[in-house]
Amino acid sequence: MTQVLFQNLLPWWAWASVLAVPPLVLLLYFLKLKRKPVEVPSTFLWRKSIEDLHVNSLLQRLRRNLLLFLQLLLLLLALIALTGPYWQGEQLAGQRFAVLLDRSASMQATDTPDGLTRFEIARGRARQLIEALPTGAEAMILAFAEDAELVQGWTSDRSELLRRLERLEPTYRGTSLETAWQQLAAASMTRVGDAVDDPEEATRIIPVTAYLISDGQFPTPESALPQDVTVRMVPVGRPETDNVAITALSVGRNEQRPDEQQVFVRVGHFAGSESADTDGRVEAVLELWFGGRRLDAKAIAIPKNGATAEAFDLVGAGRGVLEARVLIDDALDLDNTAYLTLNPPRRGRTLLVTPGNEPLETALATQGAQAMTQAIIQRPEYLETSSYELEARGGFFDLVIFDRCAPEDMPQANTLFLGSLPPGEEWTSEGEIERPRIIAIDRSDPLLGLMQVEDVLIVRARGQLRGPSGARSLMDSQQGALMVAAPRGSFRDVVLGFPLKYPDAQDRNGTDWPIRLSYAVFVLNVFDQFGRDAQSRDEQSLPPGQTVTLRNPAGDDSVVVVDPAGAEHRIVRRGAGDYTFTATDRLGIYQVRWGSESDESFAVNLFSASESRIAQVTPDFQGTAQVESADQTQWVRFGLWKYLLAGAVILLIIEWMIYARRVAL
Amino acid sequence: MAHTAATDLLAPEFLAQLERLELVSRKVLQGRMKGERRSKRKGQSVEFADYRNYVPGDDLRFVDWNTYARLDRLFIKLFQEEEDLHLYCLVDASGSMDFGEPTKLAYARQVAAALGFVGLIHSDRVVVETLQQPLKQRSPSLRGRGSVWRLLELAGGLEASDSTVSLTEGIKNFCVRHPGKGICVLVSDLFEKEGYQAGLRMLAARGMDVYVIHTLAPEDLEPDLDGDLRLIDCEDGDVAEITANPMVLERYRQTVAAFLAEVQQFCTRRGMAYLTCRTDAPLEGLLTNYLRSRGLLR
């Protein structure tokens, strides 16, 4: 807060002399010597005129005498100037300033005196900083959540900085300073192109003061800032703020009644860092809504700084939106509600290209597999047909199994290669492994979970099986990988280094896996993971900001996604059948419309303990930056005496003009 | 002030205009010589006027024997006698009349000269005096066209006087010097601290045909003053300190207007003709228009 202060510039006797001047000026104006004598024919009528007016009164004389007033005003200004008034305000010292504004989900908490969100408070502080920029200084604005955005590069144009600042909106995303740190470090270099033929000059660091406006809830960045960058922390929010949040929502099978479903909700309490009482429980009400109707509600007690899990029975619920709400008055509302969509499971499409594989074909024909996927079996010659090419490129299938064969180009689908390699140079193998023994599998992978395969016998397998960048081994033998999986865009390719068939008279190669119990589990896992409609995101929750890939087998050129605010986003098909949607910033349910119908939906929830823990903290940068508190304000004096004396000079000029007019007349 | 030359007082063209004018009295007055005027004095002429009772010593030729035959009482007949008209031009030559551009006194000289000229060419008797002249100083009574030059000399020689004779005293002295009747034209600014009322009442009481020509300079009506001033009265040295500002000047103008209205009302009530004239107004307009319309000239 700025205020006008005064300082004494004169000793007492000088003040006494100065203060005596105005009365002297007044006295001079009332001396009779000032009256001009004028002879008139008669004072007869003049006396009659003035006898009621009392024109000799002090007020009349003062009213007439403009020059007197001007001189008194001039004296007053000079007196005030002598008292040395000055503004005591905060001014930024330096040449370059960076404003780092936290716009993560936790910045939407309302634990502020005015009831505004932390983001609004932070924006206000940023505004103050920009307005206090010294003349000629440059500033930039970086807004960060999970990523960082350079809102405005170096500029001394305050109005442009303020304009860009006002357009910023908070997000529902988590917090990471990493990208912001990197951008700040890069921006602290001298701008390339500023007469910098000299490479050394191009990398010279101009000292930068960065104001980090945040609640401090972010992990320590790993990269370090240059030494010439000083960070000043501007904390927003309160350390003692508690919060309650839904941290998980899912639907699963009721173990007691397998034909029914249950909804599981986890609610956590995040205590403030200075919360004195960490014992006890926080009481709230948890409601379950489905299709816009409240199904159930229960009172819950959450351990302080802990969590509680609650279950609701879901009977007879078909397709619809599931919503869990925690009724509690806390500072952050957006994590008090969680969403989930329930859609009836849809069958995917699986193409099996095989010269003949009875166990596999039988597995595809089982009720369990049929429930998950619609299987089409073709012989390898089918791969040469235009029909296959169209379907493969159009993403008609969710899973293509190449049994001892391979296409010329990879299809737009997940793939499983049994004993063969995908086309191209990224997948390689060398030689063969005789009678490999499975020594390890990655049970964390959904394909191989809950399986025992160490007893599987394999006649022969490809040696040194390797995949492209990002590939990882799911099954190993002593001589190398037997099963490797690798991502390919939105798909996944799995290569089994040996044919998944029982040896026969024509082909002695093979394995006895088909007669093992784990074979059925593996096949069902494959169909479950790859064979279902990939867009069946039932009971899945996406974090805000995650890119979603949509696929329409019908091959429409565009699809419409309606976000929770009702805004429609038209997505044009990117490749063969893929639609990429990135605007998942809002929390809630997104409807996907193929054509004129809303065929499906998916949910975006916060579910972030780091964002739900909203108590303001002082982060520990662990040496990655020089950090100072912004409470070390720099008081600067803005002397006002110059303006007062300028005003006095102007008055003097006006007085002279008036006096000159009177003399001329 | 130097004597104004007779030719400077009235232009020859103006004199030619004045020859066509004639003084008119609203009242029938007593003159000294047989002029062309009706007089209330009853004398020996052919026109019967009135009766009175016979007293021993009256001329028996004027006894009305017809009335005696009827009433058996003696009455003497009275007849109207034709007389001269007297014009008295009474000029205020006080110090206050010496202000203005032209001065009010200069204007008054012209008025006296013009009216006197009209009277002389019609064989009226003309007397030009100032209020400030001593009681025993009598101005000559001029008559006939031959006295025109003398008139112009007298009028042109009127100068501002340092005398402290007030308006009232001056009129009183005039009345003592001239007990007769006639037309009296008073030319003054009436700036009299003792008041103008007593003097004008005296004139009214004389039964004369009185014309008050209230002469004021533009400076008297709209003074151009500004600032802190010490006003000094030129006649008695009285001092009034004022701070001249628009409000005060407006107040003064209102006072002047009220004064003029008051004087007019006073004169009208007493059968005196009154008119205000500014010294910057042409004299010709005053004489040929206004005084003709008021009945002094024809």
Side-chain angles (χ1 to χ4, degrees):
Chain A
M1 182 184 285
T2 56
Q3 52 182 337
V4 178
L5 301 173
F6 299 86
Q7 59 178 356
N8 192 0
L9 298 177
L10 299 177
W12 69 268
W13 53 266
W15 276 112
S17 307
V18 166
L19 288 173
V21 172
L24 278 176
V25 170
L26 274 171
L27 195 60
L28 281 173
Y29 271 84
F30 291 104
L31 287 179
K32 292 199 174 181
L33 290 171
K34 291 280 280 186
R35 289 199 176 273
K36 178 183 166 188
V38 175
E39 193 175 49
V40 294
S42 175
T43 54
F44 161 60
L45 291 177
W46 282 107
R47 284 197 174 279
K48 289 186 73 154
S49 303
I50 66 178
E51 65 187 6
D52 294 331
L53 286 179
H54 308 291
V55 293
N56 289 325
S57 70
L58 176 65
L59 187 59
Q60 283 294 328
R61 296 174 72 173
L62 285 177
R63 279 172 60 181
R64 181 66 184 94
N65 212 316
L66 179 61
L67 285 179
L68 171 64
F69 279 117
L70 287 176
Q71 288 175 9
L72 286 177
L73 191 57
L74 191 154
L75 280 174
L76 184 65
L77 289 177
L79 276 174
I80 296 176
L82 285 175
T83 61
Y86 59 91
W87 291 107
Q88 185 165 298
E90 182 179 334
Q91 186 184 35
L92 304 179
Q95 206 177 351
R96 275 192 166 183
F97 303 92
V99 178
L100 276 64
L101 192 59
D102 185 351
R103 57 175 181 180
S104 62
S106 61
M107 292 294 283
Q108 296 201 48
T110 55
D111 58 338
T112 60
D114 302 324
L116 298 172
T117 63
R118 289 177 178 179
F119 183 78
E120 286 299 324
I121 300 294
R123 198 210 310 261
R125 291 305 306 271
R127 197 180 297 125
Q128 288 175 357
L129 286 168
I130 292 169
E131 289 171 351
L133 284 176
T135 306
E138 290 186 321
M140 61 178 282
I141 301 176
L142 272 171
F144 67 94
E146 288 176 334
D147 287 324
E149 176 191 351
L150 180 63
V151 176
Q152 174 61 49
W154 295 116
T155 180
S156 56
D157 185 350
R158 289 189 211 183
S159 58
E160 185 61 27
L161 286 165
L162 290 172
R163 205 166 20 244
R164 297 288 181 120
L165 181 67
E166 295 308 318
R167 286 194 210 139
L168 283 177
E169 294 292 335
T171 68
Y172 299 90
R173 303 195 187 191
T175 321
S176 170
L177 258 189
E178 201 63 54
T179 312
W181 243 223
Q182 293 167 3
Q183 289 194 5
L184 179 60
S188 63
M189 304 284 186
T190 308
R191 282 173 295 187
V192 175
D194 276 348
V196 281
D197 293 331
D198 181 4
E200 189 176 329
E201 178 66 19
T203 57
R204 182 172 64 88
I205 305 289
I206 296 178
V208 173
T209 305
Y211 286 85
L212 175 58
I213 310 172
S214 169
D215 53 14
Q217 287 286 356
F218 47 75
T220 303
E222 295 180 0
S223 53
L225 290 175
Q227 284 187 346
D228 292 284
V229 178
T230 304
V231 176
R232 286 191 160 187
M233 184 69 195
V234 180
V236 181
R238 297 184 305 177
E240 65 273 17
T241 305
D242 295 350
N243 188 38
V244 169
I246 296 176
T247 57
L249 175 64
S250 62
V251 174
R253 201 175 305 280
N254 191 328
E255 293 181 358
Q256 280 77 35
R257 295 180 291 278
D259 56 336
E260 292 178 358
Q261 290 180 307
Q262 266 189 322
V263 179
F264 301 97
V265 185
R266 187 167 68 234
V267 182
H269 175 263
F270 303 91
S273 56
E274 297 181 7
S275 182
D277 179 16
T278 54
D279 297 328
R281 292 173 177 269
V282 174
E283 295 184 349
V285 174
L286 180 61
E287 293 183 338
L288 183 68
W289 292 66
F290 182 76
R293 290 188 307 112
R294 191 173 66 174
L295 292 185
D296 200 355
K298 55 171 71 175
I300 60 174
I302 312 160
K304 284 198 175 178
N305 227 12
T308 183
E310 302 293 333
F312 295 88
D313 291 330
L314 196 61
V315 180
R319 179 179 176 175
V321 174
L322 200 63
E323 195 175 321
R325 300 178 187 173
V326 170
L327 303 184
I328 190 168
D329 185 19
D330 60 5
L332 189 64
D333 285 337
L334 52 89
D335 55 4
N336 293 354
T337 305
Y339 307 87
L340 212 57
T341 58
L342 294 184
N343 290 318
R346 290 184 302 279
R347 296 170 71 203
R349 294 189 189 91
T350 299
L351 172 65
L352 171 60
V353 184
T354 178
N357 190 323
E358 187 181 350
L360 197 51
E361 291 173 28
T362 303
L364 274 171
T366 60
Q367 191 178 2
Q370 285 291 316
M372 286 185 283
T373 189
Q374 176 189 357
I376 300 166
I377 302 173
Q378 298 286 356
R379 294 191 62 79
E381 295 79 27
Y382 181 71
L383 297 176
E384 306 298 326
T385 65
S386 57
S387 176
Y388 164 76
E389 188 175 336
L390 190 66
E391 289 169 346
R393 288 189 179 178
F396 188 76
F397 300 106
D398 298 290
L399 171 66
V400 180
I401 302 174
F402 298 97
D403 181 21
R404 290 164 287 166
C405 62
E408 289 186 5
D409 298 307
M410 294 295 280
Q412 293 298 313
N414 299 304
T415 61
L416 174 61
F417 287 81
L418 304 175
S420 57
L421 286 181
E425 298 176 349
E426 291 182 316
W427 287 93
T428 59
S429 70
E430 286 184 27
E432 290 182 334
I433 307 170
E434 295 292 333
R435 299 188 182 281
R437 295 299 298 269
I438 300 171
I439 60 172
I441 65 171
D442 184 355
R443 287 195 173 83
S444 67
D445 194 282
L447 286 180
L448 301 175
L450 301 176
M451 287 200 306
Q452 292 290 335
V453 294
E454 286 79 3
D455 57 347
V456 170
L457 298 176
I458 304 167
V459 175
R460 192 178 298 114
R462 289 178 176 270
Q464 305 207 24
L465 180 62
R466 293 192 183 89
S469 169
R472 64 188 182 92
S473 174
L474 299 181
M475 183 185 289
D476 291 303
S477 69
Q478 286 178 330
Q479 291 88 354
L482 298 173
M483 182 189 297
V484 174
R488 174 171 51 91
S490 58
F491 304 116
R492 199 180 188 208
D493 303 321
V494 178
V495 176
L496 196 59
F498 53 90
L500 192 60
K501 74 172 186 59
Y502 200 80
D504 55 31
Q506 286 80 23
D507 186 358
R508 306 297 294 182
N509 200 3
T511 173
D512 69 344
W513 199 3
I515 61 173
R516 304 285 181 180
L517 286 174
S518 58
Y519 175 80
V521 177
F522 172 71
V523 170
L524 286 176
N525 282 347
V526 167
F527 294 148
D528 186 34
Q529 289 299 313
F530 298 141
R532 288 181 184 275
D533 187 342
Q535 297 174 142
S536 176
R537 288 174 230 291
D538 304 345
E539 306 144 22
Q540 287 185 17
S541 173
L542 303 175
Q546 173 152 325
T547 299
V548 176
T549 300
L550 307 170
R551 273 194 290 131
N552 180 11
D556 295 336
D557 288 335
S558 65
V559 62
V560 173
V561 177
V562 182
D563 67 18
E568 295 187 356
H569 305 261
R570 181 167 293 277
I571 316 298
V572 177
R573 186 168 61 179
R574 182 188 57 174
D578 283 354
Y579 307 82
T580 303
F581 179 65
T582 58
T584 55
D585 294 309
R586 290 185 174 274
L587 303 181
I589 300 295
Y590 290 73
Q591 303 285 345
V592 180
R593 281 212 298 261
W594 308 105
S596 60
E597 295 178 0
S598 175
D599 284 338
E600 60 182 273
S601 56
F602 58 90
V604 171
N605 293 294
L606 185 57
F607 291 167
S608 169
S610 60
E611 288 306 311
S612 292
R613 188 178 297 281
I614 62 174
Q616 185 265 317
V617 295
T618 302
D620 179 10
F621 290 93
Q622 296 178 359
T624 58
Q626 297 184 71
V627 181
E628 298 172 1
S629 167
D631 290 335
Q632 296 173 4
T633 51
Q634 213 158 351
W635 293 108
V636 178
R637 289 185 175 188
F638 300 94
L640 294 175
W641 64 270
K642 290 178 287 189
Y643 306 101
L644 292 168
L645 281 185
V649 168
I650 291 171
L651 277 176
L652 200 59
I653 293 170
I654 294 172
E655 186 183 359
W656 173 253
M657 288 167 63
I658 293 174
Y659 178 73
R661 272 187 78 222
R662 293 180 116 187
V663 170
L665 284 177
Chain B
M1 185 180 294
H3 282 88
T4 306
T7 53
D8 294 338
L9 205 55
L10 298 173
E13 298 80 16
F14 187 46
L15 289 175
Q17 275 186 301
L18 292 176
E19 287 205 20
R20 293 195 289 273
L21 298 174
E22 182 184 358
L23 290 172
V24 178
S25 172
R26 293 175 297 170
K27 300 176 183 176
V28 178
L29 299 172
Q30 174 186 359
R32 289 267 179 94
M33 293 178 68
K34 294 184 190 298
E36 298 174 352
R37 311 284 176 187
R38 286 182 179 273
S39 167
K40 276 193 176 174
R41 183 190 289 181
K42 298 180 178 60
Q44 297 176 356
S45 74
V46 297
E47 193 165 340
F48 171 76
D50 199 356
Y51 287 104
R52 70 171 170 80
N53 289 327
Y54 174 80
V55 294
D58 286 336
D59 192 341
L60 291 175
R61 291 179 292 172
F62 298 114
V63 172
D64 189 340
W65 298 110
N66 290 328
T67 308
Y68 176 73
R70 286 200 304 275
L71 301 177
D72 201 21
R73 284 180 66 185
L74 290 171
F75 290 97
I76 295 295
K77 291 181 187 176
L78 299 175
F79 299 93
Q80 288 184 342
E81 187 166 357
E82 293 174 349
E83 293 188 357
D84 299 329
L85 176 64
H86 278 83
L87 171 66
Y88 300 97
C89 293
L90 194 56
V91 175
D92 181 0
S94 64
S96 65
M97 290 292 286
D98 204 19
F99 274 82
E101 190 62 42
T103 64
K104 289 175 280 188
L105 186 59
Y107 196 81
R109 290 193 204 107
Q110 286 184 306
V111 171
L115 291 175
F117 176 80
V118 173
L120 287 178
I121 63 175
H122 291 285
S123 303
D124 293 323
R125 289 196 173 273
V126 173
V127 174
V128 176
E129 288 189 348
T130 67
L131 289 174
Q132 283 70 32
Q133 69 188 57
L135 174 63
K136 293 190 176 162
Q137 178 184 340
R138 291 174 67 90
S139 297
S141 176
L142 305 175
R143 190 167 188 267
R145 189 183 283 271
S147 301
V148 167
W149 285 107
R150 200 158 169 218
L151 166 70
L152 295 177
E153 271 187 358
L154 275 172
L158 296 178
E159 291 189 17
S161 168
D162 296 331
S163 167
T164 57
V165 173
S166 66
L167 179 76
T168 304
E169 194 174 339
I171 291 176
K172 181 181 171 186
N173 291 342
F174 166 78
C175 292
V176 170
R177 285 195 296 273
H178 301 283
K181 298 193 190 309
I183 299 173
C184 178
V185 177
L186 173 64
V187 185
S188 171
D189 55 12
L190 300 181
F191 284 165
E192 177 59 52
K193 289 184 179 163
E194 293 175 8
Y196 59 87
Q197 291 88 339
L200 291 185
R201 281 198 197 100
M202 267 189 233
L203 278 180
R206 289 291 312 283
M208 302 178 87
D209 202 357
V210 180
Y211 287 82
V212 177
I213 299 180
H214 195 172
T215 306
L216 294 168
E219 291 82 354
D220 294 327
L221 297 169
E222 292 145 10
D224 183 19
L225 299 175
D226 187 29
D228 297 323
L229 304 171
R230 188 186 312 122
L231 304 181
I232 304 170
D233 193 315
C234 67
E235 292 183 7
D236 57 8
D238 179 43
V239 173
E241 292 184 348
I242 67 164
T243 299
N245 57 40
M247 186 179 63
V248 170
L249 293 176
E250 178 59 28
R251 187 61 180 236
Y252 174 80
R253 284 190 285 270
Q254 290 172 0
T255 304
V256 168
F259 175 64
L260 298 180
E262 177 194 298
V263 176
Q264 181 177 24
Q265 193 177 44
F266 181 88
C267 293
T268 304
R269 281 182 180 168
R270 287 157 183 78
M272 292 183 283
Y274 170 85
L275 71 105
T276 308
C277 68
R278 295 165 59 114
T279 56
D280 57 350
L283 181 64
E284 292 83 353
L286 170 69
L287 295 176
T288 60
N289 294 332
Y290 191 78
L291 290 181
R292 285 181 76 175
S293 67
R294 294 306 301 270
L296 176 57
L297 297 171
R298 67 178 178 190

